[in-house]
Amino acid sequence: MMNSGRWWLSATMGLAIWAGPFSVMSAEVERPLSLEERIAKLETAQTARNQALVDMQFKLAELQSEIRELRGLLEQHGFQINQLTERQREIYKDVDSRLADMQKRLESLGQTKPKPLASSTVTVDPAAEAKAYERIFPLVREKKYEEAITAYRAFLAKYPNGRLAVNAHYWLGQVLFVTGELDKATVEFNLVAEKYPNSSKTPDALLKLGEIAVRRGDKKTAQSVWRKLTLQYPKSSAARVAAQKLKNLDG
């Protein structure tokens, strides 16, 4: 009987000793993190998120310029066509009114109606100019850059002083920039900035001139152009992008 009791006691103690390490291991695995460890873990995750957000902001600043340009062009097209059509009507009405007034004066003076003289100047049809311009942009959207370059140059040859000439010069510069023809793109952007200082395209042209300088490794020229942009066109969205780019260069 005593032997049986001793055997039972030995078996119970053996099981307790055998199960002991596993209980300790389980406790260690399931041990909750301390407050300091949780805070440190959260701070590490927050730092990583902040860095990712900063990187995204820089990338978004680059993309916003292109998106803004495309969106602005689409918005302008409808407005410009309506504006040109209305202007054309006003011109026709004014011409008719002047001719009628002239005829009345001649009749009152007893003079015969003079024969019409051939005009020495070429009259530009605003509606035709707008349609010709509209036909080019799908080539840019479809990335048919060589065809777009040819089309923009043909447009400028036909309408060198047209209302949409500044837009054509700017977008010709954009396409040349995309295709890597930086010297030719510089010519177009400089033309926009110098010949059309009051155009809404001028701030964007200056922004691109700075980007071309950066690609060439000319940091000083880029800084000079972007500072000029922020000073002369401070309210433009291009100026805000230029200010951020200046910070990146200075940093």
Side-chain angles (χ1 to χ4, degrees):
M1 185 70 177
M2 290 180 63
N3 290 335
S4 176
R6 289 176 181 175
W7 178 86
W8 176 256
L9 180 60
S10 298
T12 303
M13 292 177 64
L15 286 172
I17 293 170
W18 179 79
F22 291 96
S23 300
V24 173
M25 290 175 62
S26 177
E28 291 179 353
V29 172
E30 297 177 358
R31 181 180 64 83
L33 296 175
S34 66
L35 179 60
E36 291 79 3
E37 290 172 331
R38 290 181 182 178
I39 293 173
K41 189 174 182 180
L42 289 173
E43 288 178 345
T44 300
Q46 185 63 40
T47 300
R49 282 195 293 269
N50 290 342
Q51 184 60 46
L53 286 173
V54 171
D55 294 339
M56 286 295 294
Q57 286 174 349
F58 288 143
K59 292 178 182 178
L60 285 173
E62 294 286 343
L63 293 174
Q64 282 173 349
S65 176
E66 296 297 332
I67 293 172
R68 173 179 44 77
E69 291 164 356
L70 293 174
R71 183 181 298 165
L73 179 65
L74 292 174
E75 291 175 352
Q76 287 177 10
H77 282 169
F79 173 76
Q80 288 173 345
I81 290 173
N82 292 335
Q83 191 178 41
L84 291 171
T85 302
E86 185 62 29
R87 178 58 179 163
Q88 185 181 20
R89 291 197 191 100
E90 292 176 359
I91 291 172
Y92 288 158
K93 289 179 181 179
D94 183 62
V95 171
D96 290 341
S97 176
R98 289 173 183 269
L99 289 174
D101 184 59
M102 184 180 294
Q103 185 174 359
K104 288 179 181 179
R105 290 183 182 182
L106 291 174
E107 290 175 353
S108 66
L109 293 173
Q111 297 180 359
T112 59
K113 184 177 179 180
K115 294 181 180 180
L117 299 176
S119 176
S120 59
T121 59
V122 178
T123 302
V124 176
D125 182 354
E129 179 190 3
K131 288 181 180 179
Y133 180 81
E134 288 288 334
R135 285 194 291 268
I136 304 174
F137 191 72
L139 298 175
V140 179
R141 186 173 58 244
E142 296 169 10
K143 298 184 179 180
K144 297 179 179 179
Y145 297 134
E146 293 301 325
E147 294 180 37
I149 290 171
T150 301
Y152 276 126
R153 285 176 174 159
F155 176 87
L156 289 168
K158 188 173 183 179
Y159 304 101
N161 299 313
R163 293 171 62 88
L164 297 173
V166 59
N167 293 49
H169 280 296
Y170 174 79
W171 280 102
L172 175 56
Q174 280 279 36
V175 176
L176 292 168
F177 177 83
V178 171
T179 57
E181 299 183 67
L182 300 185
D183 290 340
K184 294 179 181 179
T186 299
V187 171
E188 298 301 326
F189 290 135
N190 273 325
L191 190 151
V192 172
E194 294 171 4
K195 189 176 180 180
Y196 307 95
N198 297 323
S199 171
S200 61
K201 291 297 180 187
T202 300
D204 297 321
L206 291 172
L207 182 64
K208 284 297 180 183
L209 285 171
E211 292 178 4
I212 290 173
V214 170
R215 285 198 178 188
R216 289 173 170 167
D218 190 352
K219 182 178 177 181
K220 290 184 178 179
T221 297
Q223 289 173 322
S224 175
V225 172
W226 286 338
R227 287 194 181 103
K228 176 182 177 181
L229 167 56
T230 57
L231 290 173
Q232 293 186 357
Y233 307 94
K235 295 182 179 180
S236 66
S237 54
R240 291 193 293 272
V241 176
Q244 183 61 53
K245 289 180 179 290
L246 281 170
K247 289 181 181 179
N248 295 341
L249 285 181
D250 294 337

